[in-house]
Amino acid sequence: MKLGKTVAVSLLLWLVLITCLHGTMNLQWFAKKTASPDDARQKFRIGFLPVTCHLTCPVTDFINKNLEGDSFFEPVRFNGWPELKEAYLSGYTRATFILAPMAMALREQGVPIKIVYLGHRDGSAVVVHKDSRIFQTKDLKGKTVAVPGRYANQRLILYRELKKAGMTLDDIKIVEMPPPDMPAALYSRAVDAITSGEPFMGQAELDGYGRVLFQAKDAWPGFISCVLAVSEDAIKNDRALIQRLVNGIAKSGRWIDQSMDHRMEAAQFVSKYYYNQDPRLLTFVLSKPPDRVTYTRLTPLKKDFEEIEQLAVEAGILQGTAHFEDYVD
């Protein structure tokens, strides 16, 4: 009887632990630990973050479910780049939206990754506190700027603009920070400037304490932040499925850019069902101004990636050992 009580208590503690895990970890990430290899092969999972650069992923899923009753892939939301990258490297996700320089760096490291489409163009900014005395790039000298990570293209846009002003990355202090934490850091003056993909730059502006120093669309027209990437094996073994995915993402992008009504519809259902954000945030960044972020012209172009390569090598982010033909299909 005593042993039975001990077992019952142990079982109860284990259930409590499982409940805590579910409350503190991404549910899909926890599922990875318990899913069988057969289950992983059956589901075509795509990793994404709640950012505008990945918006076509939930839009495609939503449209598929409403028009066809089901979706041919499973979108898996993550909250940061490290877990998104590890999920892809482990094979849990067979495709993923990922930072362009990060995909290029993985290819340099021997990972058989292929970029098949872009996430969007532009959709980024450098934002400072509205009461700061930072009004142009040279005013960033000696200031602390938050970026999403080493392999974020926002680091390169900083490098590019500093270079124009006769400065280098050594003239500022860079800190790496998850984009969702950036608005609060700027509000509290823990950092002087923030830069990442939307909608987090828009959040600081919308809430009244952030001021745009420059938009990506103006500083680097056609700016690329994230890409859709898959493994070479997926292309080889499931080429028709990958083509269907790219076609769906492309059609969703065209649908979003077709009218402001479509943008506002997307802001509502994506915020509610996929991003867990206040819809006013996506509504703001998809409309103020309308070309703040665009979802057409998303075929990967060699000239764009050659510029990223060159800047990333100069900035010490890439080695320059992988090129367009190596990492793009």
Side-chain angles (χ1 to χ4, degrees):
M1 185 68 178
K2 194 171 185 180
L3 179 61
K5 287 184 178 179
T6 301
V7 171
V9 170
S10 298
L11 180 59
L12 179 61
L13 289 173
W14 177 246
L15 289 173
V16 170
L17 176 60
I18 292 296
T19 302
C20 290
L21 282 172
H22 272 268
T24 58
M25 296 174 63
N26 185 297
L27 291 180
Q28 291 93 342
W29 185 249
F30 178 74
K32 166 185 174 290
K33 300 298 183 182
T34 57
S36 69
D38 288 339
D39 182 58
R41 279 195 297 269
Q42 290 170 1
K43 294 182 179 179
F44 192 90
R45 301 186 181 97
I46 302 174
F48 76 97
L49 268 59
V51 293
T52 55
C53 201
H54 303 181
L55 188 73
T56 50
C57 180
V59 168
T60 304
D61 181 68
F62 186 84
I63 290 174
N64 286 340
K65 287 177 177 176
N66 279 272
L67 292 183
E68 302 176 16
D70 196 9
S71 185
F72 63 92
F73 68 88
E74 178 187 351
V76 182
R77 193 185 79 184
F78 295 90
N79 293 319
W81 295 110
E83 57 265 40
L84 179 139
K85 182 183 76 171
E86 291 305 316
Y88 174 77
L89 292 176
S90 72
Y92 177 63
T93 55
R94 296 179 63 197
T96 191
F97 282 82
I98 191 170
L99 294 163
M102 183 179 286
M104 297 157 75
L106 288 174
R107 188 70 198 200
E108 287 186 339
Q109 297 162 20
V111 176
I113 190 170
K114 284 283 190 178
I115 295 168
V116 293
Y117 209 58
L118 305 185
H120 66 24
R121 286 190 182 269
D122 305 316
S124 190
V126 173
V127 176
V128 299
H129 198 281
K130 69 178 181 64
D131 296 328
S132 76
R133 300 179 66 84
I134 304 172
F135 296 100
Q136 50 189 328
T137 303
K138 68 178 185 180
D139 297 334
L140 290 172
K141 188 176 179 67
K143 304 299 184 183
T144 301
V145 184
V147 301
R150 175 176 176 79
Y151 297 106
N153 245 8
Q154 284 75 20
R155 191 183 184 105
L156 291 184
I157 201 170
L158 276 174
Y159 174 80
R160 194 173 185 266
E161 290 306 296
L162 289 169
K163 187 177 179 181
K164 291 179 186 176
M167 301 163 65
T168 71
L169 290 174
D170 292 334
D171 288 313
I172 63 175
K173 180 182 178 182
I174 289 182
V175 295
E176 296 181 6
M177 183 180 296
D181 297 341
M182 289 185 184
L186 183 67
Y187 176 79
S188 66
R189 300 292 190 95
V191 297
D192 300 295
I194 57 176
T195 179
S196 80
E198 296 290 5
F200 304 107
M201 302 302 94
Q203 182 178 336
E205 187 183 0
L206 181 61
D207 290 345
Y209 54 85
R211 170 167 47 84
V212 174
L213 183 63
F214 59 79
Q215 291 276 4
K217 71 181 183 68
D218 301 319
W220 190 350
F223 176 77
I224 297 168
S225 179
C226 292
V227 296
L228 174 62
V230 301
S231 68
E232 284 186 326
D233 284 346
I235 294 175
K236 179 181 177 181
N237 299 326
D238 292 301
R239 191 173 187 87
L241 183 63
I242 302 302
Q243 188 64 65
R244 184 182 179 191
L245 171 63
V246 173
N247 290 349
I249 295 294
K251 289 177 182 177
S252 293
R254 290 198 298 273
W255 178 83
I256 294 169
D257 276 0
Q258 194 173 57
S259 70
M260 185 54 66
D261 285 344
H262 288 180
R263 285 180 168 241
M264 297 302 94
E265 286 179 47
Q268 292 297 317
F269 68 72
V270 170
S271 296
K272 180 178 180 181
Y273 297 113
Y274 298 91
Y275 281 12
N276 192 29
Q277 294 173 352
D278 187 335
R280 77 184 187 116
L281 184 53
L282 273 182
T283 296
F284 179 77
V285 300
L286 291 178
S287 62
K288 308 287 185 188
D291 63 345
R292 188 180 190 130
V293 50
T294 58
Y295 293 92
T296 47
R297 300 183 300 109
L298 300 185
T299 299
L301 302 178
K302 187 173 183 178
K303 65 180 181 63
D304 292 333
F305 282 88
E306 285 180 339
E307 182 177 14
I308 294 172
E309 273 185 49
Q310 179 184 344
L311 290 170
V313 170
E314 289 178 12
I317 295 172
L318 294 178
Q319 300 172 8
T321 57
H323 304 292
F324 185 81
E325 292 76 11
D326 300 316
Y327 53 73
V328 171
D329 187 315

